[in-house]
Amino acid sequence: MATLVTNSASEDRKDFPIGVVGGHGPNSYFNNSMYQRRAVNAAKDITDDFITKKLDIKSFCDSSTSRTIRLVDMGCAVGPNTFEAMQGLIEIIKTKYKTQCPNSPLIPEFQVFFNDQSTSDFNTLFSSLPQEREYLVAGVPGSFHGRLFPASSLHIVYTSYALHWLSEAPQVLQDRNSPAWNKGRIHYTSAPESVVSAYASQFAQDLDAFLNARAEEIVGGGMMVIIIPSVPDGMPYSQLAKGLMFNAMGSILLDMAKQGKVREDEVDAFNMPVYDCPPGEFTAIVERNGSFGIEAMGLTDPAPWLKGPVDIPELVVHTKAAWEGMLTKHFEAEIVNELFDRLIQKLCKISDQVDSAPKEKTQAYFVLQRK
């Protein structure tokens, strides 16, 4: 039976939801998260290999009277990707346990925690749980930038396509007296260096908070798998397809402001709270924090399966499923719907740029081990 934990020690910072579309409808994240699932699978073999080599299951079971291995997916959304990821990790652990403890007649029990913001659709998540599963389940709502679990209670922490979401957009972006005032843009794409630095600083602060919280919750020798969208060190974000998309969205909203559909100050006050951290910056933050060792890291192609032209309508549908809830916090629903309708048209006009944008090294993976 699934148990929903509602009294986490950490409240959602700034109540800033990731905003995926809940339910099982045609526009839901549940039915439109294929890109994310395929992207994560592109790094799966690499991360699985390092977990197999480095994870010491025997020490966990020898030191635990309950013989329970606890895993958590942080930023799990509403499924189905999270179920596949958790089952994959459990299979690795079972195989490693049989290797390390060949004479043991018992396989450890597994408990999986699903974590996301309190605004996430946990009802859809739990109603979609696989019927044939070999783990106990609990939901833990709350921001992963703070403590969520008892000390030394977790063995494996997994998070994919979640840590690039900031706890809040940098406040300085709305300060008219600051060089980082982000007027006329909704992201750091094509922005001055002061804007990029503000985003990088917010990400560093958030990642450090995340690492500090996990350092208290993960047992010594426990591991963490992190998969995030990224960009090679030194590459301008405007070269990426997502950069083209952010520029297009900002341009569309400004056009709608000129047409009187939204106020220009509404557009200026909105900044996408996402930062695709280059691996060099990420590594420096982890090393400065000092609680985890980096066992593996690298950049991969999140879409090796994509050989032909990008299907722009399909891409926008998947993007809307991930971002709509967050956008409707700031703009009216009809404005958001029109924004995405126009986005398809605008990106189709520059489809050659979208198709030729770099893809091969735009996803980072990190395997960390608690010291």
Side-chain angles (χ1 to χ4, degrees), residues 302-325:
W305 45 272
L306 184 60
K307 302 302 182 184
V310 175
D311 185 331
I312 288 175
E314 182 181 59
L315 173 64
V316 172
V317 167
H318 281 73
T319 301
K320 184 179 181 182
W323 295 353
E324 182 179 18

Side-chain angles (χ1 to χ4, degrees), residues 229-259:
S230 185
V231 60
D233 291 289
M235 177 180 285
Y237 199 80
S238 56
Q239 293 185 16
L240 304 187
K242 281 174 64 178
L244 295 171
M245 182 181 294
F246 283 129
N247 279 345
M249 291 174 69
S251 175
I252 291 167
L253 286 169
L254 287 177
D255 287 344
M256 294 173 75
K258 291 175 183 177
Q259 295 165 2

Side-chain angles (χ1 to χ4, degrees), residues 32-266:
N32 293 281
S33 55
M34 174 189 68
Y35 280 14
Q36 291 88 338
R37 178 166 64 257
R38 288 183 172 178
V40 169
N41 286 341
K44 185 177 186 301
D45 289 345
I46 302 171
T47 56
D48 287 359
D49 182 58
F50 277 92
I51 293 173
T52 300
K53 291 177 180 177
K54 296 291 184 177
L55 190 65
D56 186 2
I57 297 297
K58 187 174 185 298
S59 68
F60 295 161
C61 294
D62 286 349
S63 63
S64 173
T65 56
S66 67
R67 297 177 61 84
T68 300
I69 302 296
R70 299 180 182 88
L71 306 86
V72 58
D73 183 355
M74 295 193 158
C76 64
V78 296
N81 299 351
T82 184
F83 307 137
E84 183 176 314
M86 293 298 98
Q87 185 59 44
L89 288 171
I90 287 173
E91 292 302 325
I92 293 172
I93 294 170
K94 286 167 58 180
T95 300
K96 186 67 180 286
Y97 183 80
K98 291 176 182 177
T99 300
Q100 285 192 304
C101 308
N103 298 320
S104 176
L106 298 175
I107 294 293
E109 284 193 304
F110 296 96
Q111 184 173 24
V112 172
F113 298 99
F114 295 102
N115 158 255
D116 213 319
Q117 299 276 15
S118 58
T119 50
S120 186
D121 185 359
F122 282 94
N123 287 332
T124 293
L125 177 73
F126 287 127
S127 66
S128 307
L129 281 167
Q131 293 299 311
E132 299 298 325
R133 61 182 185 275
E134 48 189 326
Y135 51 86
L136 302 173
V137 179
V140 182
S143 169
F144 52 46
H145 294 114
R147 282 288 302 278
L148 293 165
F149 297 93
S152 300
S153 61
L154 301 176
H155 301 91
I156 301 285
V157 170
Y158 173 88
T159 178
S160 67
Y161 279 71
L163 271 185
H164 65 301
W165 286 90
L166 304 175
S167 64
E168 62 175 332
Q171 293 294 315
V172 70
L173 302 181
Q174 297 183 40
D175 184 353
R176 293 172 178 265
N177 299 315
S178 168
W181 183 32
N182 205 26
K183 180 174 176 57
R185 289 176 296 270
I186 65 167
H187 192 242
Y188 62 87
T189 305
S190 304
E193 183 58 35
S194 56
V195 174
V196 180
S197 295
Y199 268 92
S201 178
Q202 183 66 56
F203 179 84
Q205 176 182 321
D206 287 348
L207 179 56
D208 194 54
F210 175 86
L211 293 172
N212 285 335
R214 304 296 81 78
E216 294 189 58
E217 297 166 349
I218 298 176
V219 301
M223 303 194 76
M224 185 151 54
V225 177
I226 297 170
I227 300 174
I228 53 173
S230 185
V231 60
D233 291 289
M235 177 180 285
Y237 199 80
S238 56
Q239 293 185 16
L240 304 187
K242 281 174 64 178
L244 295 171
M245 182 181 294
F246 283 129
N247 279 345
M249 291 174 69
S251 175
I252 291 167
L253 286 169
L254 287 177
D255 287 344
M256 294 173 75
K258 291 175 183 177
Q259 295 165 2
K261 296 187 175 184
V262 293
R263 300 193 316 273
E264 187 173 342
D265 63 335
E266 285 184 274

Side-chain angles (χ1 to χ4, degrees), residues 16-36:
F16 214 114
I18 288 180
V20 302
V21 177
H24 290 94
N27 297 318
S28 67
Y29 185 84
F30 189 95
N31 289 317
N32 293 281
S33 55
M34 174 189 68
Y35 280 14
Q36 291 88 338

